[in-house]
Amino acid sequence: RSTWIPNASERIAKIHQENYERQTFDDPLGIAFQQTFGVGLSLDFDHDTKLSKDEEPSVHRLRARAAKSLIKSYNSIPGEMKKQVKCIEDDKQREIEYMRMVQEERDEVVRTARELLTLLPTNAPAPEGKDLDIWSMRQSEASKFDLVSLPWLKDDEGKGNNED
């Protein structure tokens, strides 16, 4: 878990960057998260549909909500900090304090955003409407270790990624 999550995130971040550069927005929330924080998360599932009265949100939906909130918080920091430094009369000092506060607040939001990687549901079902992405699992670092010898992680010839 300590290596495959960062490796998977890096792979997804590269995909999001390529999609951003091509202006292909298949996963707009995932791309926005990657562009804001440099963290690759796949959020290309329905997370906006209103839940029924008795329905509990899935862990995937909660993660998407957290991602949206973090992006919004990150982007609102400059405006909030401008309000807080208005009382500083010296222009140069006001600008220095403003920059310090923005950086400090944004650093905290970035740390929180990176923590979303620790909340990845490794035993949860795929998001509603999505199939389990076996190909990604085959490419992950986890398949290089003997601890993952599940039949669906083998290629068409019956070999795992750790076999020659």
Side-chain angles (χ1 to χ4, degrees):
R1 183 169 169 91
S2 64
T3 58
W4 70 263
I5 289 177
N7 290 341
S9 176
E10 184 178 323
R11 187 178 59 79
I12 291 169
K14 286 179 185 176
I15 292 168
H16 286 329
Q17 184 62 40
E18 290 170 6
N19 289 342
Y20 177 79
E21 290 169 3
R22 285 188 301 220
Q23 300 290 299
T24 307
F25 298 102
D26 297 328
D27 182 1
L29 181 56
I31 291 170
F33 197 78
Q34 181 270 327
Q35 288 295 302
T36 304
F37 301 111
V39 176
L41 286 177
S42 178
L43 300 164
D44 66 339
F45 49 87
D46 182 13
H47 45 74
D48 284 328
T49 303
K50 187 172 178 135
L51 295 173
S52 66
K53 191 176 185 180
D54 299 327
E55 191 177 5
E56 291 288 323
S58 71
V59 68
H60 302 289
R61 183 180 288 253
L62 293 173
R63 191 181 57 187
R65 286 180 183 173
K68 285 182 194 179
S69 293
L70 287 165
I71 292 167
K72 185 176 180 180
S73 294
Y74 185 87
N75 290 327
S76 71
I77 289 171
E80 293 299 317
M81 296 303 105
K82 273 199 191 293
K83 292 176 192 174
Q84 290 189 26
V85 298
K86 274 186 175 179
C87 62
I88 300 173
E89 292 183 24
D90 181 83
D91 290 344
K92 187 175 181 179
Q93 187 60 35
R94 184 175 48 247
E95 184 64 23
I96 290 169
E97 185 63 14
Y98 167 76
M99 295 303 287
R100 185 195 64 75
M101 290 172 69
V102 166
Q103 189 63 48
E104 187 175 290
E105 291 295 314
R106 282 191 160 175
D107 286 348
E108 183 61 31
V109 174
V110 169
R111 276 191 292 280
T112 304
R114 293 188 185 284
E115 286 297 312
L116 277 182
L117 289 177
T118 65
L119 301 176
L120 288 176
T122 57
N123 62 346
E128 189 175 325
K130 288 291 191 178
D131 294 328
L132 187 60
D133 186 358
I134 301 301
W135 182 245
S136 291
M137 290 174 70
R138 284 182 179 175
Q139 291 178 336
S140 79
E141 283 295 309
S143 64
K144 290 183 179 177
F145 301 103
D146 289 334
L147 56 107
V148 180
S149 59
L150 302 171
W152 55 82
L153 291 179
K154 302 209 180 272
D155 63 19
D156 295 334
E157 296 174 4
K159 294 181 180 178
N161 286 354
N162 61 341
E163 300 174 18
D164 290 323

